[in-house]
């Protein structure tokens, strides 16, 4: 993973720490392929709240209509990709 | 047709439309279209199969299907057979579905392919012998060998059956469907809604607004949620097309509205808030919508305004009503100017009660209050059901007589409202431990009950923390425990609750306290817990 990618990934994990703990998961269980909504970890609103947090932190805006065309958007790697694209 | 007066049963709306608009599309499910004529043929076979495989006295048929041909044809086939449908939900814990099936004594379950996996979990646990109908596929392989005690019919076997007649013993007071809502004792309450109740509702809403055969209705509410009743039956009475997305992801909805050129939308306000956060409610986004209806939760005026700008050609209607009064019993036509005049606390009014329905606002002693005074809303009329199924103790609490109007039976909504001089109703919160989460009614005591059943002796109290931005509620559960080992058990508590409660009832946060604050009456002091939460999580997270 590139440095920036790792940073976004870690940032997502920190944001999710409460929910992961609740589901009996630890950060080590989470791979980049982990899907945040399909696994039931987040519902739609919590997912959008997470995206809003990242948008604010990295000063960018996600185009949801475009982003959701990719079914992988709700995975950690998919989300990270969309955020990185927005920063560049 | 029966000897009953025409249109007295819920199924008649569909049959009339099918006779009139035989070649029109009744369904568009993920681009698979079915005409009224085709659907009618299909449901006649399903109804025939139901009639041939149940006692005439059996009341209910379970539907385990989610926005599929099986779901819609199962519902219609059940009604054509003169039975009432009991929707099950594959997103709920299996135990809850088993309880619902057992409580309503169903012998027949109609299963959609999207729920086969869940159905096998039911088959492993269900005690009685059942008949299962698979309306759109052949039977799953080996199912008869693996479960010889049950009887199964695949779509290919339905040709053996046929009926176009509703059994003659079906009366308008016969239930059309039965839904379960959260109960304070930890056991869900079953609301049987009669054909008369729901036909009254559909007639009321369709006489107020002009729906027709060119309308395209959006359908995504679960069958276990009564907004789906309007989606299905208002559409089919109007001769319109019911459009269900294949992708159940909420965020795909805005694109779906545009692609399908939907004209009628009914959903919970929290979804509009979500879209707003996603910047999907740009002005002029949904030009096809003629009617935008919100129901199930308080509608913030700000949300109504944003939605109205996005669906600029649509009439925006706030609907209000508990399941016991059949989908909705009051309506408020919103516009920007009336918002300035009428919203209280930023919440759109509930509006006026439909015709032939009655309301009465009472104080704690059940005496009617004057207009302009806040009290508990009670409802009566042809839309209001007469009691919970097999639950005399709940009926005594919720279905009451009011001394000054002894001829009517009144349903106590538990909603605190005020009426102005024009009989327009305004919402002021709940009178009891119930609230709405994502449009679902949740009784906090049911959550306490589920958590207590894990800890046995511990004191448990769940509170709802309102989010001022989202107008949503977050569930926070406090558990009284000095046991250090227990305190590490948060994950186990949640896993336990997942076996009992639907997903929307699971606590978001759990705190272990040495002591739960009590008020002067010795009851759990919930306002003190809300303050406690604020000290534990000062930033609201």
């Amino acid at each position: 993973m590139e440095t920036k990618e790792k940073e976004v990934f870690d940032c997502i994990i920190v944001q999710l720490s409460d929910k992961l703990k609740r589901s009996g998961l630890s950060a080590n269980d989470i791979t980049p392929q982990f899907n945040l909504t399909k696994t039931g970890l987040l519902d739609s609103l919590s997912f959008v709240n997470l995206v809003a947090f990242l948008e604010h932190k990295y000063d960018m805006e996600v185009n949801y209509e475009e982003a959701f065309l990719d079914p992988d958007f709700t995975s950690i790697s998919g989300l990270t990709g969309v955020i990185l694209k927005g920063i560049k | 047709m029966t000897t009953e007066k025409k249109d007295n049963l819920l199924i008649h709306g569909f049959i009339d439309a099918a006779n009139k608009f035989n070649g029109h599309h009744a369904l568009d499910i993920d681009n698979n279209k079915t005409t009224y004529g085709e659907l009618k043929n299909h449901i006649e076979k399903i109804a025939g199969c139901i009639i041939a495989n149940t006692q005439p006295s059996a009341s209910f048929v379970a539907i385990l299907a989610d926005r599929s041909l099986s779901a819609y044809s199962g519902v219609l086939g059940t009604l054509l057979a003169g039975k009432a449908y009991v929707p099950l939900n594959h997103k709920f814990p299996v135990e809850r579905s088993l309880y619902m099936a057992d409580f309503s004594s169903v012998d027949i379950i109609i299963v959609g392919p999207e729920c086969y996996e869940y159905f096998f979990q039911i088959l492993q646990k269900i005690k009685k012998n059942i008949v299962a109908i698979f309306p759109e596929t052949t039977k799953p392989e080996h199912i008869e060998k693996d479960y010889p005690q049950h009887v199964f019919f695949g779509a290919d076997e339905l040709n053996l059956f046929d009926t176009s007649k509703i059994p003659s013993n079906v009366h308008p007071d016969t239930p059309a469907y039965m839904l379960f809502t959260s109960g304070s004792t930890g056991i869900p309450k079953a609301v049987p809604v009669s054909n008369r109740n729901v036909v009254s509702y559909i007639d009321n809403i369709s006489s107020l607004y002009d729906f027709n055969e060119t309308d395209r209705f959006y359908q995504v509410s679960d069958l276990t949620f009564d907004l789906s009743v309007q989606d299905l039956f208002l559409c089919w009475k109007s001769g319109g097309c019911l459009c269900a997305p294949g992708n159940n992801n909420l965020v795909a909805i805005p694109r779906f509205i545009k692609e399908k050129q939907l004209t009628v939308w009914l959903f919970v306000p929290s979804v509009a808030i979500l879209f707003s956060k996603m910047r999907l409610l740009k002005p002029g986004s949904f030009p096809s919508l003629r009617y935008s209806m919100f129901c199930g939760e308080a509608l913030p005026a700000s949300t109504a305004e944003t939605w109205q700008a996005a669906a600029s050609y649509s009439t925006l209607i706030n609907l209000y009503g508990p399941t016991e009064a059949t989908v909705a019993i009051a309506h408020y036509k919103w516009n920007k100017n009336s918002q300035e005049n009428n919203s209280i606390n930023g919440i759109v009014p509930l509006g006026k009660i439909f015709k032939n329905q009655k309301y009465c606002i009472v104080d704690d002693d059940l005496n009617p209050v004057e207009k302009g005074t806040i009290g508990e809303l009670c409802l009566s009329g042809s839309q209001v059901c007469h009691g919970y199924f097999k639950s005399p103790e709940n009926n005594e609490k919720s279905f009451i007589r009011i001394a000054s109007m002894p001829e009517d039976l009144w349903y106590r909504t538990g909603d605190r409202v005020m009426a102005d001089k024009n009989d327009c109703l305004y919402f002021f919160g709940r009178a009891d431990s119930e609230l709405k989460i994502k449009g679902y009614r949740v009784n906090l005591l049911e959550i306490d009950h589920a958590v207590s059943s894990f800890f046995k002796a511990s004191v448990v109290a769940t509170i709802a923390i309102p989010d001022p931005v989202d107008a949503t509620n977050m569930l926070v559960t406090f558990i009284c425990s000095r046991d250090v080992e227990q305190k590490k058990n948060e994950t186990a508590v949640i896993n336990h609750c997942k076996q009992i409660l639907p997903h929307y009832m699971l606590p978001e946060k759990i705190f272990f306290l040495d002591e739960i604050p009590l008020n002067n009456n010795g009851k759990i002091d919930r306002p003190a817990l809300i303050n406690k939460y604020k000290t534990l999580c000062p930033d609201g997270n």
Side-chain angles (χ1 to χ4, degrees):
Chain A
M1 256 193 264
E2 286 176 34
T3 336
K4 198 73 184 170
E5 197 180 344
K6 179 90 173 71
E7 187 195 320
V8 177
F9 181 89
D10 289 345
C11 176
I12 294 172
I13 298 292
V14 171
Q15 283 302 303
L16 295 175
S17 56
D18 264 10
K19 302 246 177 191
L20 289 173
K21 193 177 121 208
R22 236 192 61 167
S23 307
L25 294 166
S26 84
N28 297 332
D29 301 329
I30 307 302
T31 64
Q33 287 72 41
F34 185 85
N35 194 299
L36 299 166
T37 54
K38 286 179 193 149
T39 52
L41 187 74
L42 300 183
D43 63 15
S44 301
L45 188 60
S46 339
F47 179 75
V48 170
N49 284 338
L50 171 65
V51 176
F53 173 84
L54 296 168
E55 286 176 325
H56 185 72
K57 184 172 161 96
Y58 292 106
D59 189 28
M60 49 86 63
E61 273 194 9
V62 168
N63 179 336
Y64 281 93
E65 282 185 283
E66 206 176 86
F68 271 109
L69 292 174
D70 178 4
D72 199 37
F73 174 44
T74 47
S75 75
I76 296 188
S77 61
L79 174 58
T80 308
V82 168
I83 300 292
L84 288 175
K85 212 174 92 191
I87 303 173
K88 284 168 193 166
Chain B
M1 286 295 126
T2 65
T3 50
E4 279 296 338
K5 207 179 111 243
K6 221 167 167 293
D7 281 333
N8 270 355
L9 301 177
L10 183 55
I11 189 69
H12 288 142
F14 171 81
I15 292 172
D16 291 349
N19 291 336
K20 236 161 122 183
F21 306 111
N22 190 60
H24 282 217
H25 288 138
L27 295 175
D28 178 343
I29 306 164
D30 199 16
N31 289 327
N32 292 314
K33 300 183 175 78
T34 309
T35 65
Y36 275 89
E38 289 163 348
L39 186 56
K40 186 161 172 276
N41 285 339
H42 193 49
I43 70 165
E44 286 172 357
K45 296 186 180 83
I46 296 171
C49 182
I50 293 171
I51 291 170
N53 287 285
T54 40
Q55 297 297 322
S57 59
S59 306
F60 300 106
V61 170
I63 312 282
L64 175 59
D66 185 9
R67 289 169 303 128
S68 59
L69 179 63
S70 301
Y72 306 124
S73 63
V75 163
L76 287 167
T78 299
L79 293 171
L80 186 63
K83 310 293 185 194
Y85 70 92
V86 176
L88 307 180
N89 193 327
H90 63 138
K91 297 173 208 155
F92 288 2
V94 171
E95 293 301 329
R96 201 172 180 93
S97 292
L98 285 167
Y99 173 80
M100 287 153 70
D102 178 57
F103 189 73
S104 44
S105 311
V106 295
D107 307 308
I108 298 195
I109 302 184
I110 296 176
V111 191
E114 65 285 358
C115 300
Y116 285 176
E117 209 183 307
Y118 187 88
F119 180 58
F120 281 108
Q121 296 178 46
I122 294 215
L123 280 180
Q124 279 161 23
K125 292 189 172 171
I126 196 162
K127 293 204 179 71
K128 77 192 280 192
N129 297 343
I130 53 150
V131 175
I133 302 173
F134 306 104
E136 56 185 304
T137 68
T138 51
K139 296 182 270 226
E141 242 179 286
H142 309 307
I143 195 166
E144 283 177 319
K145 205 171 105 251
D146 295 345
Y147 300 97
Q149 68 274 41
H150 305 301
V151 178
F152 304 96
F153 294 100
D156 51 323
E157 293 161 295
L158 295 177
N159 283 323
L160 302 167
F161 308 99
D162 211 351
T163 185
S164 56
K165 284 204 170 37
I166 305 161
S168 58
N169 62 346
V170 184
H171 187 270
D173 288 329
T174 312
Y177 60 87
M178 185 156 77
L179 300 182
F180 288 76
T181 78
S182 181
S184 59
T185 56
I187 298 167
K189 293 179 285 193
V191 186
V193 176
S194 72
N195 278 276
R196 187 192 306 281
N197 294 151
V198 60
V199 169
S200 297
Y201 172 65
I202 298 293
D203 283 350
N204 277 333
I205 188 86
S206 42
S207 69
L208 285 164
Y209 304 101
D210 66 322
F211 306 99
N212 64 52
E213 74 278 8
T214 65
D215 276 318
R216 301 174 62 76
F217 291 74
Y218 168 77
Q219 212 291 294
V220 82
S221 297
D222 292 343
L223 293 180
T224 43
F225 187 13
D226 70 352
L227 296 193
S228 65
V229 172
Q230 168 168 320
D231 293 342
L232 272 57
F233 295 101
L234 183 59
C235 172
W236 293 329
K237 186 191 164 72
S238 314
C241 181
L242 193 71
C243 302
N247 178 351
N248 69 355
N249 202 331
L250 284 175
V251 290
I253 292 170
R255 199 150 22 99
F256 186 74
I257 298 176
K258 289 181 221 174
E259 273 171 20
K260 288 288 167 191
Q261 295 282 300
L262 299 186
T263 60
V264 182
W265 156 276
L266 166 69
F267 216 45
V268 288
S270 52
V271 170
I273 293 164
L274 177 73
F275 293 167
S276 178
K277 281 198 163 188
M278 294 162 69
R279 298 177 292 273
L280 294 175
L281 296 185
K282 299 199 177 82
S285 293
F286 308 131
S288 62
L289 286 180
R290 298 204 306 124
Y291 288 103
S292 302
M293 291 178 268
F294 289 97
C295 190
E297 290 167 304
L299 174 64
S302 57
T303 304
E305 194 173 336
T306 312
W307 186 275
Q308 181 73 82
S312 46
Y313 301 111
S314 76
T315 303
L316 196 153
I317 305 157
N318 188 29
L319 293 171
Y320 161 80
T323 301
E324 288 84 345
T326 316
V327 189
I329 196 165
H331 71 121
Y332 183 84
K333 199 166 139 184
W334 189 88
N335 67 56
K336 198 160 181 277
N337 298 329
S338 67
Q339 176 242 340
E340 277 155 21
N341 299 333
N342 281 335
S343 293
I344 296 185
N345 301 331
I347 298 296
V348 175
L350 306 180
K352 288 189 181 181
I353 296 280
F354 293 151
K355 69 174 181 211
N356 302 327
Q357 315 303 315
K358 289 190 259 188
Y359 81 91
C360 180
I361 299 171
V362 297
D363 61 18
D364 291 346
D365 300 319
L366 303 181
N367 294 315
V369 300
E370 298 207 345
K371 281 183 183 164
T373 308
I374 298 170
E376 184 180 349
L377 179 68
C378 297
L379 298 166
S380 184
S382 57
Q383 277 185 224
V384 183
C385 84
H386 288 178
Y388 299 110
F389 187 60
K390 294 197 288 197
S391 185
E393 62 289 354
N394 280 320
N395 288 343
E396 209 171 292
K397 273 185 271 171
S398 298
F399 292 87
I400 56 156
R401 302 280 170 184
I402 294 172
S404 54
M405 290 171 286
E407 68 282 8
D408 295 313
L409 184 67
W410 295 87
Y411 168 65
R412 291 179 72 168
T413 62
D415 286 328
R416 295 177 69 249
V417 305
M418 183 196 83
D420 68 13
K421 58 183 189 309
N422 299 318
D423 292 302
C424 180
L425 304 177
Y426 299 81
F427 182 64
F428 286 88
R430 289 289 302 179
D432 57 19
S433 53
E434 263 192 26
L435 68 146
K436 290 288 185 94
I437 304 274
K438 295 175 184 124
Y440 278 99
R441 261 161 70 175
V442 169
N443 195 311
L444 297 175
L445 301 179
E446 187 174 355
I447 302 170
D448 293 351
H449 204 270
V451 177
S452 311
S453 67
F454 182 80
F455 284 111
K456 308 291 186 292
S458 298
V459 178
V460 173
T462 302
I463 56 169
I465 304 289
D467 181 326
V469 184
D470 291 348
T472 52
N473 289 301
M474 177 171 66
L475 295 170
V476 178
T477 297
F478 291 92
I479 300 164
C480 177
S481 174
R482 291 196 173 84
D483 183 337
V484 179
E485 275 311 299
Q486 273 196 351
K487 287 183 184 179
K488 293 180 187 157
N489 258 339
E490 189 177 332
T491 309
V493 175
I494 291 293
N495 284 338
H496 174 75
C497 290
K498 278 184 182 165
Q499 307 296 312
I500 308 171
L501 300 173
H503 54 97
Y504 55 84
M505 287 177 73
L506 297 174
E508 280 269 311
K509 288 192 175 163
I510 292 178
F511 293 103
F512 292 89
L513 300 178
D514 289 346
E515 221 169 332
I516 298 272
L518 301 178
N519 65 19
N520 294 338
N521 301 327
K523 289 188 174 165
I524 290 169
D525 189 343
R526 289 178 196 263
L529 281 175
I530 291 177
N531 289 332
K532 181 86 195 166
Y533 173 78
K534 285 179 187 156
T535 56
L536 289 166
C537 301
D539 58 352
N541 296 310

Coordinates of all heavy atoms in Angstrom, one line a residue, chain B residues 271-302:
Chain B
V271 N -35.0 8.7 5.1 CA -34.3 8.4 3.8 C -34.1 9.7 3.0 O -33.0 9.9 2.4 CB -35.1 7.4 3.0 CG1 -34.6 7.3 1.6 CG2 -35.1 6.1 3.7
A272 N -35.0 10.6 3.1 CA -34.9 11.9 2.4 C -33.7 12.7 3.1 O -32.9 13.3 2.4 CB -36.1 12.7 2.5
I273 N -33.6 12.5 4.4 CA -32.4 13.2 5.1 C -31.1 12.6 4.6 O -30.1 13.3 4.4 CB -32.6 13.0 6.6 CG1 -33.9 13.8 7.1 CG2 -31.4 13.4 7.4 CD1 -34.4 13.4 8.5
L274 N -31.1 11.3 4.4 CA -29.9 10.6 3.9 C -29.5 11.1 2.5 O -28.4 11.4 2.3 CB -30.2 9.1 3.9 CG -29.1 8.2 3.3 CD1 -27.9 8.1 4.3 CD2 -29.6 6.8 3.0
F275 N -30.5 11.2 1.7 CA -30.2 11.7 0.3 C -29.7 13.1 0.3 O -28.8 13.5 -0.4 CB -31.5 11.7 -0.6 CG -32.0 10.3 -0.9 CD1 -33.3 10.2 -1.4 CD2 -31.3 9.2 -0.6 CE1 -33.8 8.9 -1.7 CE2 -31.8 8.0 -0.9 CZ -33.1 7.8 -1.4
S276 N -30.3 13.9 1.3 CA -29.8 15.3 1.4 C -28.4 15.3 1.8 O -27.6 16.1 1.2 CB -30.7 15.9 2.4 OG -30.3 17.2 2.6
K277 N -28.0 14.4 2.7 CA -26.5 14.4 3.1 C -25.6 14.0 1.9 O -24.5 14.3 1.9 CB -26.4 13.3 4.2 CG -26.8 13.8 5.6 CD -26.2 12.8 6.6 CE -26.2 13.5 7.9 NZ -25.5 12.8 9.0
M278 N -26.2 13.2 1.0 CA -25.4 12.7 -0.1 C -25.5 13.7 -1.3 O -25.0 13.4 -2.4 CB -25.9 11.4 -0.6 CG -25.7 10.3 0.5 SD -26.7 8.8 0.2 CE -26.0 8.2 -1.3
R279 N -26.1 14.9 -1.0 CA -26.2 15.9 -2.1 C -26.9 15.4 -3.3 O -26.6 15.7 -4.4 CB -24.8 16.5 -2.5 CG -24.1 17.1 -1.3 CD -22.7 17.6 -1.7 NE -21.8 16.5 -2.0 CZ -21.1 15.8 -1.1 NH1 -21.1 16.2 0.2 NH2 -20.3 14.8 -1.4
L280 N -27.9 14.5 -3.1 CA -28.6 13.9 -4.2 C -30.0 14.6 -4.4 O -30.7 14.3 -5.3 CB -28.9 12.4 -4.0 CG -27.6 11.6 -4.0 CD1 -28.0 10.1 -3.6 CD2 -26.9 11.6 -5.3
L281 N -30.3 15.6 -3.5 CA -31.6 16.3 -3.7 C -31.3 17.7 -4.3 O -31.7 18.7 -3.7 CB -32.3 16.4 -2.3 CG -32.7 15.1 -1.7 CD1 -33.5 15.4 -0.4 CD2 -33.5 14.3 -2.6
K282 N -30.7 17.7 -5.4 CA -30.5 19.0 -6.1 C -31.8 19.4 -6.7 O -32.6 18.6 -7.1 CB -29.5 18.8 -7.2 CG -28.1 18.3 -6.7 CD -27.0 18.6 -7.7 CE -25.6 18.2 -7.2 NZ -25.4 16.8 -7.3
P283 N -32.0 20.8 -6.7 CA -33.3 21.2 -7.3 C -33.5 20.7 -8.7 O -32.6 20.6 -9.5 CB -33.0 22.8 -7.3 CG -32.1 23.0 -6.2 CD -31.2 21.8 -6.2
G284 N -34.8 20.2 -8.9 CA -35.2 19.7 -10.2 C -34.7 18.3 -10.4 O -34.8 17.8 -11.6
S285 N -34.2 17.5 -9.4 CA -33.7 16.2 -9.6 C -34.7 15.2 -10.1 O -34.4 14.3 -10.8 CB -33.1 15.6 -8.3 OG -32.0 16.3 -7.9
F286 N -35.9 15.3 -9.5 CA -37.0 14.3 -9.8 C -38.2 14.9 -10.5 O -39.3 15.0 -9.9 CB -37.4 13.6 -8.5 CG -36.3 13.1 -7.7 CD1 -36.2 13.4 -6.3 CD2 -35.3 12.3 -8.2 CE1 -35.2 12.9 -5.5 CE2 -34.3 11.8 -7.4 CZ -34.2 12.1 -6.1
P287 N -38.0 15.3 -11.8 CA -39.2 16.0 -12.4 C -40.4 15.1 -12.7 O -41.5 15.6 -12.9 CB -38.6 16.5 -13.8 CG -37.4 15.6 -14.0 CD -36.9 15.2 -12.6
S288 N -40.2 13.7 -12.7 CA -41.3 12.8 -13.0 C -42.3 12.7 -11.8 O -43.4 12.3 -12.1 CB -40.7 11.4 -13.4 OG -40.1 10.9 -12.3
L289 N -41.9 13.0 -10.6 CA -42.7 12.7 -9.5 C -43.9 13.6 -9.5 O -43.8 14.8 -9.5 CB -42.0 12.8 -8.1 CG -41.0 11.7 -7.8 CD1 -40.3 12.0 -6.4 CD2 -41.7 10.4 -7.7
R290 N -45.1 13.0 -9.4 CA -46.4 13.8 -9.2 C -46.8 13.9 -7.7 O -47.4 14.9 -7.3 CB -47.5 13.1 -10.0 CG -47.3 13.0 -11.5 CD -48.7 12.9 -12.2 NE -49.5 11.8 -11.7 CZ -50.7 12.0 -11.3 NH1 -51.3 13.2 -11.3 NH2 -51.4 11.0 -10.9
Y291 N -46.5 12.8 -7.0 CA -46.8 12.8 -5.6 C -45.6 12.3 -4.8 O -45.1 11.3 -5.1 CB -48.0 11.9 -5.3 CG -49.3 12.4 -5.8 CD1 -49.9 12.0 -7.0 CD2 -50.0 13.5 -5.1 CE1 -51.1 12.5 -7.4 CE2 -51.2 14.0 -5.6 CZ -51.7 13.5 -6.7 OH -52.9 14.1 -7.2
S292 N -45.3 13.1 -3.8 CA -44.2 12.7 -2.8 C -44.9 12.6 -1.5 O -45.4 13.6 -0.9 CB -43.1 13.7 -2.7 OG -42.6 13.9 -4.0
M293 N -44.9 11.4 -0.9 CA -45.6 11.2 0.4 C -44.6 10.7 1.4 O -43.8 9.8 1.1 CB -46.8 10.2 0.2 CG -47.9 10.8 -0.6 SD -49.2 9.6 -0.8 CE -48.7 8.8 -2.3
F294 N -44.7 11.3 2.6 CA -43.9 10.8 3.7 C -44.7 10.3 4.8 O -45.8 10.9 5.1 CB -43.0 12.0 4.2 CG -41.9 12.3 3.2 CD1 -42.1 13.4 2.3 CD2 -40.8 11.6 3.1 CE1 -41.1 13.7 1.4 CE2 -39.8 11.9 2.2 CZ -40.0 12.9 1.3
C295 N -44.3 9.3 5.5 CA -45.1 8.7 6.6 C -44.1 7.9 7.5 O -43.0 7.5 7.0 CB -46.1 7.7 6.0 SG -47.3 7.1 7.1
G296 N -44.5 7.7 8.7 CA -43.8 6.8 9.5 C -42.9 7.5 10.6 O -42.5 6.9 11.6
E297 N -42.6 8.7 10.4 CA -41.8 9.5 11.4 C -42.2 11.0 11.3 O -42.8 11.4 10.3 CB -40.4 9.4 11.0 CG -39.7 8.1 11.2 CD -38.3 8.1 10.5 OE1 -38.2 8.4 9.3 OE2 -37.4 7.8 11.2
A298 N -41.8 11.7 12.3 CA -42.0 13.2 12.2 C -41.2 13.7 10.9 O -40.1 13.3 10.7 CB -41.5 13.9 13.4
L299 N -41.9 14.6 10.2 CA -41.2 15.1 9.0 C -40.7 16.6 9.3 O -41.5 17.5 9.5 CB -42.3 15.2 7.8 CG -41.8 15.9 6.5 CD1 -40.6 15.1 5.9 CD2 -43.0 15.9 5.5
P300 N -39.4 16.7 9.3 CA -38.9 18.1 9.5 C -39.2 19.0 8.3 O -39.1 18.6 7.2 CB -37.4 17.9 9.6 CG -37.2 16.4 9.9 CD -38.3 15.7 9.2
A301 N -39.6 20.3 8.6 CA -40.0 21.2 7.6 C -38.8 21.4 6.6 O -39.0 21.5 5.4 CB -40.4 22.5 8.2
S302 N -37.6 21.4 7.2 CA -36.4 21.6 6.3 C -36.3 20.5 5.3 O -35.9 20.7 4.1 CB -35.1 21.7 7.2 OG -35.0 20.5 7.9

